[in-house]
Amino acid sequence: MPHYTKRGEVPHKRHTQFRKADGGLYSEQLVSTEGFSDVYSLIYHHHPPTVVSKIDEPIDVAPKVAQQKNMQHRCYNGFNVVAEDDFLKSRKPVLINNDCHIVLAAPRKSMETYFYKNSGADEMIFVHEGRGILKTIFGELTFAYGDYIIIPRGTIYQISFETEQNRLFIVESFSPIVYPKRYRNNFGQLLENSPYCERDIREPQNLKTHDEKGDFLVYIKKDGLLYPYHYMYHPFDAVGWDGCQYPYIFSIHDFEPITGRVHQPPPVHQTFEARNFVVCSFVPRKYDYHPLSIPAPYNHSNVDSDEVLYYVDGDFMSRKHVERGMITLHPIGIPHGPHPGTVEKSIGKDETHELAVMVDTFKPLWICEDALPIEDKEYHKSWME
Ligand SMILES: [Fe+2]
């Protein structure tokens, strides 16, 4: 996060005495995702964030890989993933590699008895269905349909859902998820020609300070294990914080599409980047306006990326039989393109209402066991007339 934000009370100068009303010192903590050489924030706690009373046995939540080498177009019905009451149990990894895990989740209940922290990965939670509040030490983020919630590694959080009807498309990234470099100027500000800007970013609000002693369970995820940590003080005990690292929300509905006279390539849809993958947003837009333009995409051989498309809403002009929540995987090594008939059908149309999220990984994805029961096994033959 390149821009500076402040919530609550912070001392005039960093790393100096900052005292409570009773004369005691607040406890300062630096949080960052790339050591001391990238973005960071300073948090001021009522109590040190180190007071652990107990650690229970870790729980294995590592994804089970069913197939590492894939050379076939795949399709999964994401809404067939079984809903679960618990948020952590509901998370089903479907496609993974060493850079990211793509996870589907349909949680029914809010997290009330515990907190969660992913210490190994930034999380991008795309909200397909549902609304609620993400609670963190930085404040609260109210989320709804179409929101990308970006949670930096190491952020302890709780999620409250308004109803039991929730569908989430989650990417765990083992490197920071950032705005694409080509959208930023030398100082990190989003450029005039980027498809979104700082005004579109929603920051944490309503900082609530919980100066509470007790038994606070935080499930900390690292290397495929969940470590049940019991802390003596409430994890959201900050009186204030400032800096450039914090969770935030960007809505896909605020992505301004870039269009042209002829078909624009996928990079115009880019929304975020991380090490070895990108995230793109396909949003409602006017079609190409050259008199002979073909709005449908051309066939292409993605020699350097596995393409994952998550279909959110609207008609998808290049595909047949698309349903909400569907995921297609078009792997490195073989071309893919529009389904039969869709090229001719697209000619003369002047707009699309499609909404989709794409994750292009530069290394092949492995297929997880949780993806097998939701696969449409005939998909690779769907280009036959
Ligand atoms: Fe493609």
Side-chain angles (χ1 to χ4, degrees):
M1 283 298 297
H3 60 280
Y4 174 85
T5 298
K6 186 177 101 169
R7 294 284 181 272
E9 301 294 317
V10 300
H12 176 66
K13 198 155 183 67
R14 60 187 174 180
H15 319 322
T16 59
Q17 294 175 37
F18 181 32
R19 294 194 179 275
K20 310 176 198 176
D22 66 4
L25 286 167
Y26 286 111
S27 188
E28 187 182 52
Q29 181 189 8
L30 181 139
V31 290
S32 67
T33 54
E34 297 267 278
F36 296 93
S37 56
D38 209 348
V39 294
Y40 64 93
S41 288
L42 291 167
I43 299 173
Y44 295 89
H45 296 268
H46 263 276
H47 306 279
T50 47
V51 188
V52 175
S53 54
K54 189 168 66 144
I55 307 171
D56 296 329
E57 283 300 306
I59 302 157
D60 186 359
V61 291
K64 307 276 185 295
V65 175
Q67 186 179 340
Q68 274 211 1
K69 294 183 180 173
N70 172 51
M71 189 52 171
Q72 184 180 312
H73 294 327
R74 306 274 178 181
C75 180
Y76 304 98
N77 292 301
F79 276 16
N80 286 353
V81 155
V82 178
E84 305 251 12
D85 283 348
D86 180 65
F87 173 72
L88 293 180
K89 287 202 182 98
S90 76
R91 295 164 62 121
K92 312 286 182 197
V94 287
L95 300 167
I96 67 166
N97 65 18
N98 287 325
D99 302 308
C100 66
H101 290 182
I102 296 172
V103 176
L104 293 169
R108 280 193 286 250
K109 304 283 188 204
S110 300
M111 293 162 63
E112 279 166 358
T113 56
Y114 66 88
F115 302 80
Y116 168 63
K117 174 172 108 169
N118 194 330
S119 73
D122 283 28
E123 293 193 351
M124 180 196 91
I125 302 178
F126 177 79
V127 181
H128 193 171
E129 290 186 348
R131 52 194 310 129
I133 300 174
L134 180 91
K135 299 172 185 171
T136 74
I137 195 166
F138 300 93
E140 296 178 344
L141 288 158
T142 302
F143 62 82
Y145 165 57
D147 282 343
Y148 290 106
I149 311 172
I150 305 293
I151 306 170
R153 272 174 288 169
T155 305
I156 297 175
Y157 69 81
Q158 270 188 328
I159 291 189
S160 294
F161 297 105
E162 268 185 25
T163 72
E164 296 199 345
Q165 185 64 33
N166 304 293
R167 290 278 171 186
L168 309 173
F169 174 79
I170 302 171
V171 178
E172 295 184 29
S173 170
F174 299 97
S175 61
I177 297 173
V178 298
Y179 305 153
K181 196 164 191 307
R182 65 194 166 85
Y183 292 171
R184 292 179 261 148
N185 67 19
N186 287 341
F187 300 95
Q189 185 181 15
L190 287 160
L191 289 163
E192 264 294 299
N193 59 351
S194 71
Y196 59 92
C197 74
E198 284 80 359
R199 282 188 208 173
D200 299 313
I201 303 301
R202 282 144 52 200
E203 300 163 347
Q205 306 292 339
N206 306 326
L207 179 69
K208 289 176 182 154
T209 307
H210 297 266
D211 179 11
E212 296 167 29
K213 192 173 182 183
D215 179 20
F216 300 94
L217 174 60
V218 183
Y219 285 108
I220 303 178
K221 187 163 154 181
K222 184 181 167 191
D223 295 337
L225 292 175
L226 275 180
Y227 294 89
Y229 262 66
H230 294 259
Y231 282 97
M232 193 179 284
Y233 296 105
H234 196 293
F236 304 158
D237 70 339
V239 68
W241 64 272
D242 74 341
C244 295
Q245 175 168 303
Y246 45 86
Y248 66 92
I249 287 177
F250 171 65
S251 169
I252 196 169
H253 306 304
D254 285 327
F255 188 92
E256 294 303 326
I258 294 166
T259 57
R261 283 226 314 160
V262 295
H263 187 81
Q264 297 294 297
V268 300
H269 306 283
Q270 192 180 350
T271 310
F272 300 114
E273 69 186 12
R275 187 189 62 224
N276 290 338
F277 76 92
V278 298
V279 176
C280 300
S281 302
F282 289 81
V283 301
R285 61 193 182 279
K286 293 287 184 197
Y287 271 145
D288 325 320
Y289 48 91
H290 185 286
L292 296 176
S293 70
I294 299 176
Y298 32 80
N299 298 294
H300 51 283
S301 302
N302 35 314
V303 292
D304 58 0
S305 64
D306 271 18
E307 291 187 16
V308 173
L309 204 51
Y310 178 74
Y311 300 91
V312 180
D313 261 317
D315 287 337
F316 229 76
M317 47 96 165
S318 62
R319 305 253 153 251
K320 288 174 166 176
H321 318 302
V322 164
E323 287 173 25
R324 297 171 71 237
M326 221 177 223
I327 294 178
T328 53
L329 165 62
H330 299 137
I332 295 168
I334 42 175
H336 63 278
H339 273 139
T342 58
V343 172
E344 281 288 356
K345 208 172 135 199
S346 76
I347 293 171
K349 298 263 170 65
D350 62 0
E351 62 180 357
T352 173
H353 297 287
E354 69 189 19
L355 196 65
V357 175
M358 186 165 77
V359 179
D360 279 4
T361 64
F362 306 152
K363 301 277 170 59
L365 288 159
W366 309 334
I367 298 164
C368 296
E369 286 181 5
D370 281 318
L372 303 184
I374 61 169
E375 182 171 10
D376 169 4
K377 294 201 167 50
E378 298 300 307
Y379 177 70
H380 64 289
K381 294 189 268 187
S382 63
W383 282 265
M384 291 197 297
E385 293 285 355

